[in-house]
Amino acid sequence: MENLPKICVDTTDAFMTTERFGTREEVIRWIKEVGIDNKVTFIISRSDTETGKRGRSNKIIFDCDKGGKHKISDSGTQSASKKCGCPFKIRSTLGKDGSGWKIDVKCGLHNHGLPDRLEGHSFIGRLTTDEKQHVADLAKRHVAPRNILLSLQDKFPENVTRITQVYKHKSVIEKEIRGPRSEIQHLFKLIEDAGYVYWSRKQDDSEVVREIFWAHPDSVKLLNIFPIVLVMDSTYKTNKYRQHLFEIVGMTSTELTFAVGFAYMESEQTENFCWVLEKLKELFVKKDMCPQMILTDRDLALMKAIEVVFPNSINLLCRFHINKNVGAKCKQHVVNDLQKTIDTLWMEVVWASDEVEYGQRLHQLEVESAHWKLKQMLGNSIGDMVKCWEAMNNNLRLQLGNIRASFQKSFYEVEHAHVSPFYGYLRGSVSRAALRRIAEELLRVDYVGTNRQICGCTLRTSYGLPCACELGRYRVGGILIPIDAVHVHWRKLTMEVELEIGEDDGSEVDMTAAMDELWRRFRSLDVIGKRALRSRVCELAYPTMTTLCPPPEKIKTKGGVKKKGKKPADYDVYRDPSYHEYVDKASQSSQRQSQPSQTSKKIKLSKKQPQFIVQFPNHIRSYIEDVVNVESDGNCGFRVIASLHGYGEDAWPMVRRELGLEIIDKDRSTLYDKLFSNRLSAVRESLMIESFGSQPPEKWMSLPDMGYLIVNRYNVVLVCLGNPCITFFPMTSSHSPNVSIYCIGFVNQNHWVQVNMKEGFPLPPVTLDWKKFRSHIATTWMLGFAGRMQHWQLLTPVLA
């Protein structure tokens, strides 16, 4: 007692008991429960069982987990120890009279304080059997560890486990599943169990894997059903070995993407791509079948390999990568004043309406989305090949489920826009995606008629669907759209078909001659030759026993840098920057260096454009954060909307096009007929331009006409500051609390600018036409923003 430190906590009374316990496990359970109630944790420092030998008896000795000496280490790491020489000790022995296990408190004192909560304690936080099973069930479904921890806390309220234990148990589960198999053996077992078609090859004079290619059996079916267009791209830093992941994507009749196959490659040389494409070629059932078009980025090695393996396929470049690289080259070689001009000229080329637009416009967003989903599933680059394969397999399972559902919807469901007898032969036989494009094209018939020159026939040449002039001829002749007018690609609505080989291809799946030759060679060899041949055959027959191993060199996968100093500027475990990102970074750096030495606050204030702010009403100026100017070329209004919507200022042609589609939207055609009346054709014509340069006044954005189209198309609130100030609410939807509010300003009597406002700024009144023609549910917009509109009314008379 005299040697104890000043801190002294006595828990003797809590553990004093006359109760006898039947088994050793009951003693341990009771000690643990009482300890948790009193915020004390234990370790079993000694446990013994009577064997008849001298000195051996049935006993358990419990110590406080802070018992023992604190060992001082000279290591530079942030290690710690809970040991502080706590004297607490409990002894439990089995009574010789057969009454059971008794508990004797030898020392109930602690030389340290007791915690308020045990959360985060490594011992108390250990998972129970039920908790381990719960973690295993969720881990099997690839639930994130943080969500597993939340689920544990919901299901077991007294659980104090931390995320570290979840990670550790997941690691234990993975080791138990893998067993004694190597990484490649386990990967091949998963691929075999899932029924994948796969090939692999190793490096010369080595067992190190060089490439692996695999494809899901349902993906092989889809490839043979929809072989017209394929998209190929590489993803980097998907695994700790730095092997490139090559992805091949196809497109169904319902315009959904599917992963045809994947390949791990040691490098991106033409020879590597040729090997992968040869394996892809073997997935086609018929020898003469090949993709009509292959979309890639400008990877010269891949383009050369396509030329070698698929000489009859058309290789097109991805517009996204082209635009980015064109911008990067402009920043390097073109002065600032000419960069926008070059960009405008380039956009005129890109937006040309011809066959090339088929591959670009149809697949750009869908394929980039599929590629992005794959990257999201793969996460960072610290996983091995097995984890990456499991992520890709899960992504593929979700893809296939969505594709099957889209086929069923096209087969059973009819959209309201397609109930007309004009589509009688197509309903249920053509995908809904194709019918939507036909319905959109049908709107052009009113001003195209049957004139081929006005029509341009883009839909026919690019999509294999009837164009406006063709539809006009059917309408004039009172003929329903014939099924043969739709390309066979759009008429395939199932993947539940058996792949049939051609008459000339039967020999490829007959192994009789090959097996006979193998046996003949085996019998003719000596003992050493037979062993060698048997080893090679066993590699094919028993892939899970392969001797292949992953690349030996791994990258540094830890996120932090242990040694003092900053981490390398180019260190990134997630992905390599693209070429245009390097250029953007260098350009931004040079711009920062060229700017005069000013505080960030002054630079920000310079954005307010005081020459514009003074043109807005006095009572709203205090709510303006800044004003962003755009180029004055007759497209300024559309530039502002493109910027606010996240497209970027230079995407103003897309806004014009989308508003053009909005005004001919069949669901709102009645609304716009009433709203614009005899001005409908003029409003529509103002959206149509002949070139991407400066526009005449009749093509400028004008309010209130464009305001109605903008809010209905994008389902946003639009506020115009000018003379007058107006608010536009959507006219066919109900109020949404998370709606985006776009604020624009009209200045100099001829120019639009973007106005960034403070949160909760007052809203000006709506137009009379909005109140007159809006739908009943749209009234909720006025109710939702009533307070902010009343605020405007209160400010106006006071400061008038």
Side-chain angles (χ1 to χ4, degrees):
M1 294 286 294
E2 297 175 353
N3 297 326
L4 290 175
K6 293 181 180 180
I7 299 178
C8 183
V9 180
D10 190 351
T11 58
T12 304
D13 293 342
F15 295 94
M16 293 292 291
T17 180
T18 58
E19 184 179 355
R20 294 294 184 267
F21 301 92
T23 64
R24 181 188 300 263
E25 288 71 23
E26 291 180 8
V27 174
I28 298 174
R29 188 182 305 114
W30 186 85
I31 290 288
K32 184 177 181 181
E33 290 174 355
V34 176
I36 291 175
D37 293 340
N38 291 274
K39 306 299 185 291
V40 179
T41 54
F42 301 96
I43 61 171
I44 299 176
S45 60
R46 186 173 177 182
S47 179
D48 206 351
T49 304
E50 184 176 2
T51 61
K53 294 183 180 181
R54 183 180 178 182
R56 303 293 296 273
S57 61
N58 292 309
K59 63 182 176 183
I60 309 174
I61 297 177
F62 298 92
D63 287 349
C64 175
D65 68 337
K66 292 177 73 66
K69 294 183 179 180
H70 185 110
K71 295 181 179 180
I72 300 176
S73 173
D74 294 332
S75 65
T77 60
Q78 297 179 350
S79 60
S81 173
K82 63 172 69 74
K83 305 296 184 181
C84 66
C86 181
F88 183 91
K89 189 180 295 295
I90 292 179
R91 179 187 178 95
S92 179
T93 57
L94 181 62
K96 296 182 179 180
D97 57 358
S99 59
W101 290 78
K102 61 180 180 179
I103 293 177
D104 182 17
V105 181
K106 294 296 184 181
C107 179
L109 303 177
H110 299 269
N111 65 351
H112 56 86
L114 299 180
D116 295 330
R117 294 175 58 85
L118 291 174
E119 196 162 347
H121 196 283
S122 58
F123 181 78
I124 301 300
R126 290 180 181 177
L127 297 169
T128 64
T129 303
D130 292 340
E131 291 170 345
K132 288 180 178 178
Q133 185 59 47
H134 188 64
V135 172
D137 293 340
L138 295 180
K140 186 178 180 181
R141 291 164 177 79
H142 298 275
V143 179
R146 62 181 180 275
N147 295 328
I148 294 178
L149 181 60
L150 293 173
S151 180
L152 278 173
Q153 294 172 350
D154 291 340
K155 188 171 183 179
F156 306 97
E158 297 180 357
N159 177 274
V160 292
T161 298
R162 304 313 300 154
I163 199 166
T164 304
Q165 278 89 352
V166 176
Y167 275 109
K168 287 180 178 179
H169 189 60
K170 281 190 64 180
S171 178
V172 170
I173 294 171
E174 291 169 0
K175 290 180 180 178
E176 290 176 351
I177 293 174
R178 180 173 298 187
R181 292 185 292 271
S182 68
E183 180 182 331
I184 300 298
Q185 289 174 348
H186 188 53
L187 175 62
F188 284 174
K189 182 181 186 302
L190 294 174
I191 291 176
E192 285 275 339
D193 292 345
Y196 277 72
V197 181
Y198 70 101
W199 292 270
S200 66
R201 65 172 177 168
K202 60 184 180 180
Q203 296 177 1
D204 297 337
D205 303 324
S206 171
E207 294 299 321
V208 176
V209 66
R210 188 177 179 188
E211 274 94 27
I212 304 176
F213 177 89
W214 66 91
H216 193 279
D218 287 337
S219 295
V220 176
K221 283 186 179 180
L222 288 172
L223 172 65
N224 284 273
I225 296 172
F226 304 104
I228 296 178
V229 180
L230 294 181
V231 184
M232 301 178 182
D233 197 5
S234 293
T235 303
Y236 308 97
K237 292 188 179 181
T238 61
N239 58 84
K240 59 186 179 182
Y241 306 112
R242 288 280 184 132
Q243 283 203 318
H244 309 289
L245 177 63
F246 186 61
E247 182 185 14
I248 304 169
V249 177
M251 181 73 66
T252 69
S253 60
T254 54
E255 294 190 346
L256 292 181
T257 57
F258 64 94
V260 176
F262 301 94
Y264 273 126
M265 302 165 52
E266 67 171 357
S267 64
E268 292 185 299
Q269 303 298 322
T270 301
E271 191 270 338
N272 303 92
F273 282 122
C274 281
W275 183 86
V276 173
L277 296 182
E278 286 290 350
K279 301 311 173 188
L280 171 66
K281 194 174 184 179
E282 293 187 37
L283 297 181
F284 289 102
V285 175
K286 298 181 180 179
K287 285 184 177 180
D288 58 348
M289 185 181 292
C290 68
Q292 294 182 19
M293 186 183 70
I294 299 176
L295 188 66
T296 67
D297 60 5
R298 194 175 179 273
D299 189 320
L300 299 180
L302 175 57
M303 295 170 68
K304 180 63 177 177
I306 292 173
E307 184 179 344
V308 173
V309 181
F310 296 110
N312 297 324
S313 299
I314 300 173
N315 184 196
L316 296 181
L317 301 181
C318 173
R319 189 170 67 191
F320 173 82
H321 292 94
I322 294 175
N323 290 342
K324 286 295 184 181
N325 288 331
V326 166
K329 291 293 184 182
C330 280
K331 290 180 180 179
Q332 282 186 306
H333 304 294
V334 181
V335 295
N336 292 340
D337 295 341
L338 292 178
Q339 286 182 10
K340 288 186 177 180
T341 302
I342 297 296
D343 184 66
T344 301
L345 293 174
W346 170 248
M347 291 300 294
E348 290 185 10
V349 175
V350 172
W351 285 85
S353 298
D354 56 23
E355 290 83 355
V356 176
E357 188 173 9
Y358 170 65
Q360 309 292 12
R361 180 178 164 190
L362 174 61
H363 298 291
Q364 178 183 347
L365 291 179
E366 290 89 346
V367 172
E368 283 298 322
S369 175
H371 202 55
W372 176 82
K373 289 178 183 177
L374 174 63
K375 292 179 180 179
Q376 290 294 105
M377 293 286 282
L378 291 175
N380 57 33
S381 62
I382 64 176
D384 58 20
M385 290 184 177
V386 172
K387 290 181 180 178
C388 295
W389 180 87
E390 289 175 339
M392 287 181 273
N393 184 53
N394 291 332
N395 185 39
L396 186 55
R397 288 169 59 190
L398 296 175
Q399 276 186 352
L400 294 173
N402 291 334
I403 289 171
R404 288 189 175 95
S406 69
F407 287 155
Q408 293 302 310
K409 283 186 176 181
S410 291
F411 189 74
Y412 285 109
E413 298 179 8
V414 178
E415 294 183 8
H416 300 310
H418 308 147
V419 296
S420 168
F422 196 49
Y423 302 99
Y425 293 144
L426 307 185
R427 288 193 297 267
S429 301
V430 173
S431 74
R432 290 167 61 178
L435 288 175
R436 291 190 201 105
R437 294 193 177 277
I438 296 174
E440 183 178 324
E441 187 74 2
L442 191 60
L443 299 173
R444 300 179 62 230
V445 172
D446 292 337
Y447 64 90
V448 170
T450 59
N451 191 312
R452 289 176 180 268
Q453 293 182 341
I454 299 177
C455 176
C457 302
T458 302
L459 197 67
R460 167 56 68 190
T461 57
S462 299
Y463 292 86
L465 297 173
C467 57
C469 67
E470 191 175 342
L471 294 172
R473 289 192 292 273
Y474 294 144
R475 177 183 284 182
V476 171
I479 303 172
L480 306 186
I481 303 175
I483 190 69
D484 293 336
V486 178
H487 191 279
V488 67
H489 170 86
W490 305 101
R491 296 183 304 201
K492 297 176 180 178
L493 298 178
T494 181
M495 56 184 291
E496 308 304 325
V497 295
E498 293 294 331
L499 298 180
E500 298 180 357
I501 61 175
E503 296 180 358
D504 300 333
D505 299 336
S507 59
E508 290 192 1
V509 294
D510 187 357
M511 292 184 60
T512 304
M515 294 301 295
D516 290 343
E517 176 62 20
L518 192 63
W519 273 113
R520 188 194 65 77
R521 287 185 57 193
F522 183 78
R523 287 191 291 266
S524 65
L525 295 172
D526 56 16
V527 175
I528 302 301
K530 288 180 178 178
R531 286 178 181 173
L533 182 58
R534 181 181 181 279
S535 175
R536 292 169 62 187
V537 172
C538 285
E539 287 185 5
L540 296 175
Y542 308 106
T544 58
M545 302 301 292
T546 181
T547 57
L548 286 177
C549 61
E553 294 185 6
K554 302 179 182 180
I555 67 165
K556 180 181 178 183
T557 57
K558 298 296 183 182
V561 179
K562 292 185 177 180
K563 294 184 179 180
K564 293 183 178 180
K566 297 181 180 179
K567 69 178 182 179
D570 58 349
Y571 179 74
D572 179 13
V573 299
Y574 290 94
R575 68 177 186 82
D576 285 316
S578 299
Y579 166 77
H580 62 83
E581 292 176 294
Y582 282 114
V583 176
D584 289 342
K585 185 176 181 181
S587 176
Q588 292 170 4
S589 177
S590 63
Q591 289 175 7
R592 286 195 298 268
Q593 294 174 2
S594 64
Q595 289 176 349
S597 176
Q598 297 179 353
T599 63
S600 60
K601 184 175 181 181
K602 288 183 179 179
I603 294 174
K604 182 176 181 180
L605 287 176
S606 67
K607 292 181 180 180
K608 283 200 171 184
Q609 308 282 353
Q611 72 275 20
F612 294 149
I613 292 180
V614 296
Q615 300 185 46
F616 302 137
N618 291 333
H619 59 275
I620 199 65
R621 294 176 189 174
S622 61
Y623 294 93
I624 299 176
E625 287 191 339
D626 59 64
V627 177
V628 181
N629 197 7
V630 296
E631 185 177 346
S632 303
D633 60 351
N635 300 299
C636 56
F638 303 101
R639 287 180 178 274
V640 171
I641 299 302
S643 177
L644 287 168
H645 200 58
Y647 290 162
E649 176 186 337
D650 293 332
W652 59 266
M654 188 179 299
V655 174
R656 278 189 179 271
R657 179 178 177 275
E658 290 178 348
L659 297 183
L661 293 175
E662 172 64 29
I663 201 171
I664 61 174
D665 189 302
K666 194 170 185 179
D667 294 336
R668 286 190 278 268
S669 59
T670 304
L671 168 65
Y672 294 134
D673 285 340
K674 295 178 180 178
L675 184 63
F676 299 131
S677 186
N678 58 353
R679 295 184 297 106
L680 180 62
S681 59
V683 175
R684 183 176 175 182
E685 286 293 330
S686 69
L687 292 167
M688 303 173 66
I689 57 176
E690 297 179 356
S691 68
F692 286 83
S694 298
Q695 304 301 326
E698 60 269 18
K699 301 292 183 180
W700 294 359
M701 189 177 86
S702 61
L703 293 188
D705 295 340
M706 292 301 159
Y708 300 124
L709 297 178
I710 291 168
V711 296
N712 290 337
R713 181 66 181 183
Y714 302 119
N715 199 40
V716 298
V717 175
L718 179 67
V719 176
C720 170
L721 300 182
N723 187 17
C725 296
I726 312 172
T727 296
F728 295 88
F729 293 124
M731 305 180 73
T732 60
S733 65
S734 59
H735 172 258
S736 172
N738 299 320
V739 68
S740 297
I741 301 180
Y742 295 171
C743 187
I744 61 177
F746 191 63
V747 297
N748 301 337
Q749 300 298 316
N750 63 356
H751 185 56
W752 291 101
V753 293
Q754 176 181 334
V755 185
N756 296 333
M757 306 294 291
K758 295 180 180 179
E759 189 73 21
F761 69 95
L763 297 183
V766 298
T767 65
L768 293 176
D769 281 345
W770 185 89
K771 294 180 180 179
K772 182 177 180 181
F773 296 112
R774 56 103 180 105
S775 64
H776 177 70
I777 60 173
T779 309
T780 55
W781 289 103
M782 291 283 288
L783 300 175
F785 288 97
R788 295 172 67 171
M789 301 186 78
Q790 290 174 1
H791 190 189
W792 178 281
Q793 293 176 351
L794 291 174
L795 290 174
T796 304
V798 173
L799 298 176

